[in-house]
């Protein structure tokens, strides 16, 4: 091949080298400009990036308005009882109180005897009137009727001592018309008077009455003289009243 034949080939090589050195970022210079290519397919999603750094603290906001009061909750369960604490020191002595009223226990007592004028025979059912008062401070016994009337409720003891002479004797201790106890002594033609005694406890309420009553018409041997007596006695053993008024 002659030099004239190789010249065109050499010229093409120079142009090709010049064009290849001018390529930058897949761009073709104006000498090699072509038509725009078809858009490529979307690329794949990239890998997640590194977490960002924490941001700065925000500024304090203004306090909010006070909310409405909530409903009261249910009481909780009782806790376990704690240990007993040490005994405290004695307190100071208090001031002396004002003097109180002096309480007096309820009282009721009497004793009476037959006078000589009452030794005549008595009828059955009659109350024996022990007319000569020995003691009757509260006035609960009436010598005119021979009856004791209860004023203070409680338990009482009643006792009767009879001198028996010239006749047998039978009498009853009566409460409100009902016999509580009966006593009997037969006369044995003794030359001297004999005695008949008895007593019992009775529960009474205010208004109750107690008396001695003849039981048989032929047994009326109550007797009294300057040297021997027939007596009827009664007194309160204890009262039923609680927090009662003061009685003298």
């Amino acid at each position: 091949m002659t030099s004239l034949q190789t010249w065109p080939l050499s010229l093409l090589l120079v142009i090709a080298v010049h064009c290849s050195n001018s390529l930058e970022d897949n761009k073709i210079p104006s000498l090699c400009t072509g038509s725009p290519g078809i858009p490529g397919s979307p690329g794949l999603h990239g890998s997640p990036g590194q977490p960002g750094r924490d941001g700065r603290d925000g500024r304090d906001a203004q306090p909010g308005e006070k909310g409405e009061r909530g409903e009261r909750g249910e009481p909780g369960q009782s806790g376990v009882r704690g240990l007993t604490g040490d005994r405290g020191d004695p307190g100071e002595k208090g001031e002396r109180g004002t003097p109180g009223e002096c309480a007096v226990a309820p009282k009721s007592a009497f004793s009476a005897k037959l006078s000589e004028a009452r030794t005549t025979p008595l009828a059955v059912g009659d109350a024996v009137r022990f007319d000569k008062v020995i003691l009757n401070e509260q006035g609960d016994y009436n010598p005119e009727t021979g009856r004791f009337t209860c004023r203070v409720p409680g338990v009482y003891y009643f006792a009767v001592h009879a001198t028996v002479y010239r006749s047998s004797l039978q009498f009853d201790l009566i409460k409100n018309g009902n016999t509580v106890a009966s006593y009997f002594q037969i006369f044995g033609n003794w030359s001297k008077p004999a005695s008949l005694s008895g007593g019992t406890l009775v529960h009474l309420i205010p208004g109750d009455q107690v008396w001695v009553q003849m039981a048989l018409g032929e047994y009326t041997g109550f007797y009294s003289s300057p040297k021997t007596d027939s007596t009827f006695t009664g007194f309160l053993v204890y009262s039923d009243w609680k927090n009662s008024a003061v009685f003298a």
Side-chain angles (χ1 to χ4, degrees):
M1 180 179 294
T2 65
S3 58
L4 292 175
Q5 292 175 333
T6 62
W7 181 87
L9 180 61
S10 298
L11 182 62
L12 291 174
L13 291 172
V14 172
I15 293 172
V17 170
H18 177 77
C19 291
S20 62
N21 292 332
S22 300
L23 292 177
E24 292 179 3
D25 298 330
N26 295 325
K27 293 181 180 181
I28 300 175
S30 59
L31 294 177
C32 300
T33 301
S35 300
I38 298 172
S41 300
L44 299 174
H45 292 290
S47 302
Q50 295 294 327
R53 288 185 292 182
D54 294 338
R56 295 181 179 180
D57 294 334
R59 296 180 180 179
D60 293 337
Q62 295 293 329
E65 296 182 359
K66 186 176 182 180
E68 297 181 359
R69 185 173 181 178
E71 297 181 358
R72 186 172 182 177
E74 297 181 357
Q77 296 181 353
S78 300
V80 179
R81 184 173 182 177
L83 300 175
T84 303
D86 296 334
R87 185 173 182 177
D89 297 331
E92 296 181 0
K93 186 176 181 179
E95 297 180 0
R96 185 172 184 177
T98 57
E101 297 182 358
C102 181
V104 180
K107 298 177 181 178
S108 181
F110 77 95
S111 186
K113 65 181 181 178
L114 286 175
S115 64
E116 296 181 32
R118 296 292 182 182
T119 58
T120 55
L122 301 172
V124 176
D126 285 349
V128 181
R129 289 178 288 171
F130 296 85
D131 58 315
K132 195 170 182 178
V133 174
I134 301 172
L135 176 70
N136 191 26
E137 293 181 353
Q138 292 76 38
D140 296 337
Y141 174 74
N142 187 346
E144 296 297 326
T145 62
R147 300 189 180 204
F148 170 85
T149 302
C150 173
R151 181 179 57 93
V152 179
V155 174
Y156 289 77
Y157 181 76
F158 294 94
V160 181
H161 172 78
T163 298
V164 183
Y165 187 51
R166 298 175 183 168
S167 177
S168 298
L169 176 62
Q170 183 171 354
F171 62 87
D172 300 329
L173 187 65
I174 303 296
K175 171 188 171 183
N176 297 335
N178 299 313
T179 300
V180 176
S182 297
Y183 305 93
F184 175 76
Q185 172 70 61
I186 191 169
F187 177 61
N189 293 321
W190 307 300
S191 59
K192 295 182 179 181
S195 63
L196 172 61
S197 300
T200 189
L201 289 168
V202 181
H203 184 271
L204 302 178
I205 61 175
D208 285 346
Q209 290 188 332
V210 177
W211 66 90
V212 178
Q213 180 173 294
M214 302 306 300
L216 292 176
E218 64 271 25
Y219 295 159
T220 58
F222 268 112
Y223 179 77
S224 181
S225 72
K227 294 184 178 181
T228 182
D229 292 305
S230 294
T231 61
F232 180 32
T233 300
F235 56 86
L236 176 66
V237 178
Y238 60 84
S239 171
D240 286 344
W241 268 334
K242 296 179 181 178
N243 301 323
S244 61
V246 175
F247 287 87

